[in-house]
């Protein structure tokens, strides 16, 4: 098979949702279709039971588990599908955001009863910045929930998407009878627990056909006709080009736990979802079809066993063919590297691979050479763009608690920051170090890992900060003046970029007003 065919086969995507909407359940059903797992519960049993107060041992366990579930690949109807896990826990937000840089499209899962929730909003915002094509799956139709049209309004308003339903529910909760598949013009009748049979799918090209009453009853049939009429009036026709450009999101309805509507979703997905897309680098656009291999690291996982300091760096292949035991260029370090044991994640199993193609993710064993965003190529110097660091919202001073272990602390902090666990800032004025995170739990994780993996101890001191923003200015004189005037609020990030550490929303506003020439960014992109 040539590289073009390999690329055409691949679909690499992520499922995003607010916790509890059904992401794990849907993933599992997709894996069942692909024959990647044989029994329901295989993914699920890995999942942490969520509790109101998640203690940080959860995170430790999650770290172990998420290596296994980071990428799940399976074959379906001649396609190779790579699902990238986007951890749903609140405190994993940064990791999740970064995973979105390695996918070509996403499926957003929404709970019919809860509608659009906070985490979904945040994640979709990131997808929209990147024009990632989005399919929406409204889940749990076997339960009472919001009216279909109200939900679509909410999706449009809160997520800023233009939507068009490709299936439409017939009742919900106790009265849920199935969906009408507007894409294939078929009636799919619901029966619980995935016991759908062939007879439950009926070709129905014309809904005015009086046969409809036989299947779903008089009132629901009338309602369905009226609603599909409204859909035609209100929503645009599905257009694949608009979807691929991130301008139109098709919507499906179903019930993941009952395996209802999942096959329709998957069948449509493989038809319309993009094959591996070109990637932007600082130097040029990289096309997947290029002969020369290139890829970038979007996620790094520490080994769970503290005795083995090695880590797994997850690399997305962007162009060419990746081969085992071949000399490649680690661009940032400007040196050649070989990978004797690249790992792929097929059918929920890890195995060593000899080759991989654009869209694939390989796990590289790493003894500390990689940082998030690093590129690997056949020789060309390329820096992939769009791997964001987000403005942290929780801050603490970090101090060495064991003077004999200063070196270990410095090394541990450096490596954890490279993994993207949190961000480290150094104050201009006194050189004190501040850790910034998206979620408060990360502080415990850092302390724990420093102790167990590096033998270092740290102490946190409170610091009163509202936000860290990256600052730039075209006018170097003005910038100098700004940095001098705000000296006590200035710091640098780990790359040496200047950062304004705002004490409050008010200080930030004042700084922005007083220095209109300075650009304040809440996200730094590599
Ligand atoms: P997440 O990964 O997005 O956090 O969600 P997950 O799949 O774990 O689903 C959250 C809960 O919603 C689970 O129940 C799951 O069984 C349930 N669920 C998923 N899809 C559907 C659906 O279509 N209909 C209904 N009624 N429920 C659904 P749980 O009680 O938290 O876990 P479990 O005891 O079922 O394992």
């Amino acid at each position: 098979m040539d590289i073009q065919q390999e690329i055409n086969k691949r679909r690499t995507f992520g499922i995003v949702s607010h916790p509890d909407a059904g992401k794990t359940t849907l993933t599992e059903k997709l894996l069942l279709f692909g024959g990647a797992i044989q029994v329901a519960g295989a993914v699920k049993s890995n999942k942490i039971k969520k509790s109101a107060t998640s203690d940080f041992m959860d995170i430790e366990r999650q770290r172990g588990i998420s290596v296994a579930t980071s990428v799940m690949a399976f074959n379906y109807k001649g396609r190779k599908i790579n699902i990238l896990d986007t951890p749903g826990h609140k405190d994993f937000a940064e990791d999740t955001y970064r995973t979105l840089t390695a996918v070509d499209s996403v499926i957003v899962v929404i709970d019919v009863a809860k509608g659009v929730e906070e985490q979904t909003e945040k994640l979709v915002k990131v997808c929209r910045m990147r024009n990632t094509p989005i399919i929406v799956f409204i889940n749990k139709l076997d339960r009472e929930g919001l009216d279909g049209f109200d939900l679509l309004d909410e999706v449009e308003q809160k997520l800023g998407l233009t939507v068009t339903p490709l299936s439409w529910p017939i009742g919900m909760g106790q009265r849920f009878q199935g969906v009408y598949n507007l894409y294939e013009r078929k009636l799919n009748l619901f029966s619980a627990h995935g016991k759908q049979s062939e007879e439950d799918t009926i070709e129905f090209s014309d809904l005015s056909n009086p046969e409809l009453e036989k299947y779903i009853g008089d009132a629901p049939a009338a309602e369905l006709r009226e609603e599909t009429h409204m859909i035609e009036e209100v929503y645009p026709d599905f257009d694949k080009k608009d979807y691929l450009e991130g301008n139109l999101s098709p919507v499906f309805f179903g019930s993941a736990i009952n395996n209802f509507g999942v096959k329709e979703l998957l069948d449509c997905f493989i038809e319309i979802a993009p094959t591996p897309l070109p990637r932007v680098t600082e130097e040029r656009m990289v096309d997947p079809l290029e002969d020369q291999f290139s890829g970038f690291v979007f996620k790094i996982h520490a080994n769970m066993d503290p005795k083995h300091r090695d880590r797994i760096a997850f690399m997305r292949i962007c162009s060419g063919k990746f081969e085992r035991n071949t000399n490649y260029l680690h661009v940032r370090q400007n040196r050649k590297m070989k990978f004797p044991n690249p790992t792929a994640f097929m059918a929920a199993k890890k195995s060593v691979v000899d080759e991989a193609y654009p869209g694939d993710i390989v796990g590289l064993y790493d003894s500390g050479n990689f940082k998030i965003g690093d590129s690997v190529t056949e020789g060309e110097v390329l820096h992939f763009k769009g791997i964001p660091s987000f403005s942290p919202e929780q801050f603490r001073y970090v101090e060495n608690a064991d003077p004999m272990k200063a070196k270990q602390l410095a090394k541990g902090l450096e490596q954890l920051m490279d993994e993207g666990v949190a961000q480290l800032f150094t104050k201009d004025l006194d050189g004190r170090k501040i850790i910034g995170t998206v979620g408060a739990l990360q502080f415990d994780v850092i302390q724990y890992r420093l102790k167990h993996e590096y033998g270092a101890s740290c102490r946190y001191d409170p610091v009163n900060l509202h936000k860290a923003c990256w600052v730039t200015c075209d006018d170097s004189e003005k910038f100098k003046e700004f940095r001098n005037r705000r000296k006590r609020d200035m710091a640098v990030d780990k790359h040496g970029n200047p950062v304004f550490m705002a004490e409050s929303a008010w200080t930030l506003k004042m700084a922005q007003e007083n220095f209109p020439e300075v650009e304040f960014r809440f996200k730094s992109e590599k």
Side-chain angles (χ1 to χ4, degrees):
M1 209 183 275
D2 68 13
I3 182 161
Q4 168 92 62
Q5 284 170 314
E6 291 286 356
I7 292 171
N8 288 348
K9 265 176 69 174
R10 280 163 172 77
R11 304 286 184 280
T12 301
F13 79 107
I15 303 182
V16 305
S17 71
H18 194 83
D20 259 350
K23 180 168 71 84
T24 314
T25 313
L26 180 64
T27 306
E28 182 169 287
K29 300 300 173 191
L30 294 174
L31 293 175
L32 278 168
F33 276 114
I37 53 171
Q38 266 65 47
V39 285
V43 178
K44 191 98 197 154
S45 60
N46 278 340
K47 217 177 95 134
I48 298 161
K49 277 266 112 199
K50 288 160 295 247
S51 55
T53 56
S54 52
D55 66 78
F56 85 102
M57 279 315 289
D58 276 357
I59 293 196
E60 277 300 296
R61 280 167 53 213
Q62 173 105 31
R63 279 204 305 127
I65 293 157
S66 52
V67 174
T69 58
S70 279
V71 189
M72 287 160 283
F74 64 93
N75 291 313
Y76 179 73
K77 294 195 173 168
R79 308 297 202 293
K80 183 178 177 210
I81 297 171
N82 296 310
I83 307 183
L84 271 58
D85 189 31
T86 52
H89 195 287
K90 226 180 158 133
D91 288 284
F92 283 84
E94 271 221 63
D95 210 12
T96 308
Y97 289 143
R98 275 191 293 255
T99 298
L100 294 177
T101 63
V103 303
D104 298 304
S105 71
V106 299
I107 294 180
V108 174
V109 183
I110 292 171
D111 182 329
V112 69
K114 295 196 180 136
V116 175
E117 295 174 89
E118 183 202 343
Q119 194 152 323
T120 313
E121 264 182 77
K122 285 189 178 169
L123 294 168
V124 169
K125 214 182 208 172
V126 178
C127 296
R128 290 195 43 232
M129 276 168 8
R130 310 170 52 81
N131 297 325
T132 308
I134 297 173
I135 296 179
V136 177
F137 181 73
I138 312 265
N139 190 26
K140 308 197 186 181
L141 264 290
D142 58 320
R143 288 205 183 148
E144 290 301 329
L146 307 173
D147 166 77
F149 289 108
D150 290 347
L151 252 174
L152 295 189
D153 278 355
E154 195 175 311
V155 170
E156 295 211 310
Q157 276 162 23
K158 286 198 179 165
L159 300 181
L161 301 176
T162 303
V163 297
T164 192
L166 288 188
S167 76
W168 193 251
I170 304 163
M172 64 172 68
Q174 296 286 341
R175 297 165 293 106
F176 184 53
Q177 299 204 61
V179 297
Y180 181 62
N181 186 332
L182 296 150
Y183 184 60
E184 295 182 348
R185 307 206 74 79
K186 284 179 183 162
L187 187 65
N188 296 339
L189 296 175
F190 175 72
S191 53
H193 313 302
K195 293 209 182 86
Q196 264 74 39
S197 61
E198 291 291 303
E199 297 91 71
D200 293 329
T201 302
I202 304 128
E203 298 274 347
F204 238 102
S205 55
D206 179 9
L207 280 182
S208 61
N209 185 338
E211 285 279 297
L212 185 63
E213 271 78 356
K214 273 201 213 154
Y215 290 104
I216 59 174
D218 293 354
E223 201 175 330
L224 179 63
R225 286 191 189 107
E226 196 186 313
E227 289 179 341
T228 48
H229 184 67
M230 257 172 83
I231 290 167
E232 275 163 27
E233 303 260 291
V234 175
Y235 296 101
D237 286 344
F238 176 69
D239 180 285
K240 189 168 162 183
K241 186 168 163 283
D242 288 344
Y243 156 73
L244 289 174
E245 287 169 357
N247 294 326
L248 181 65
S249 293
V251 181
F252 288 85
F253 292 81
S255 167
I257 196 106
N258 289 296
N259 207 357
F260 185 79
V262 178
K263 187 168 180 296
E264 290 71 22
L265 174 72
L266 181 59
D267 285 340
C268 176
F269 170 83
I270 59 167
E271 286 258 320
I272 66 171
T275 54
L277 296 172
R279 286 284 187 284
V280 190
T281 68
E282 276 166 27
E283 291 77 12
R284 62 183 185 85
M285 195 82 153
V286 171
D287 193 277
L289 270 170
E290 292 175 17
D291 287 342
Q292 303 254 314
F293 153 75
S294 69
F296 69 90
V297 171
F298 64 95
K299 174 171 176 153
I300 293 174
H301 247 293
N303 198 312
M304 280 299 285
D305 180 352
K307 286 191 226 75
H308 296 100
R309 188 70 73 67
D310 61 342
R311 316 183 285 181
I312 298 183
F314 289 86
M315 179 173 70
R316 156 145 183 152
I317 317 281
C318 298
S319 66
K321 177 161 127 184
F322 168 85
E323 287 176 288
R324 188 163 84 93
N325 259 333
T326 304
N327 264 319
Y328 289 127
L329 175 68
H330 183 311
V331 173
R332 184 176 50 81
Q333 293 189 341
N334 189 26
R335 70 184 178 102
K336 294 277 180 183
M337 278 180 106
K338 267 190 195 179
F339 304 101
N341 296 308
T343 310
F345 307 83
M346 193 68 194
K349 279 197 213 85
K350 280 201 294 187
S351 57
V352 172
V353 281
D354 289 322
E355 52 188 48
Y357 293 89
D360 285 342
I361 312 298
V362 291
L364 306 173
Y365 286 95
D366 170 40
S367 51
N369 289 310
F370 282 116
K371 290 185 184 188
I372 284 176
D374 276 348
S375 330
V376 182
T377 71
E378 257 184 76
E380 190 178 350
V381 173
L382 293 172
H383 297 88
F384 286 91
K385 281 175 56 163
I387 298 136
S389 287
F390 287 83
S391 171
E393 285 162 16
Q394 314 252 358
F395 301 90
R396 289 188 201 164
Y397 279 122
V398 55
E399 302 289 351
N400 186 8
D402 181 351
M404 307 298 289
K405 299 279 170 65
K407 258 195 189 151
Q408 284 87 335
L409 181 71
K411 178 159 192 192
L413 277 177
E414 194 191 323
Q415 292 209 348
L416 293 182
M417 299 307 131
D418 290 351
E419 259 182 50
V421 174
Q423 296 181 52
L424 191 68
F425 303 98
T426 310
K427 289 283 296 243
D428 280 4
L429 210 55
D430 52 15
R432 283 186 86 180
K433 304 237 180 287
I434 295 175
I435 289 183
T437 68
V438 179
L441 238 49
Q442 295 305 71
F443 291 110
D444 292 341
V445 173
I446 291 166
Q447 207 164 33
Y448 178 91
R449 290 190 55 193
L450 283 171
K451 183 141 205 79
H452 287 83
E453 293 170 34
Y454 299 89
S457 299
C458 77
R459 191 186 73 233
Y460 295 121
D461 285 343
V463 50
N464 187 20
L465 283 177
H466 164 68
K467 233 174 182 29
C469 5
W470 285 269
V471 278
T472 49
C473 181
D474 290 337
D475 182 339
S476 59
E477 279 306 309
K478 269 272 163 228
F479 201 37
K480 217 157 132 194
E481 186 193 334
F482 167 75
R483 290 180 75 166
N484 269 333
R485 284 258 300 273
R486 310 301 314 209
K487 205 169 178 58
R488 73 187 190 96
D489 303 314
M490 291 305 297
V492 287
D493 71 6
K494 66 176 176 183
H495 305 291
N497 299 318
V499 182
F500 179 71
M501 311 289 278
E503 264 181 21
S504 64
W506 190 79
T507 21
L508 178 59
K509 190 165 159 271
M510 289 314 289
Q512 283 172 314
E513 276 177 20
N514 292 338
F515 290 90
E517 305 83 0
V518 175
E519 197 189 336
F520 293 76
R521 280 174 301 120
F522 299 97
K523 169 170 92 61
S524 116
E525 248 184 33
K526 272 197 71 177

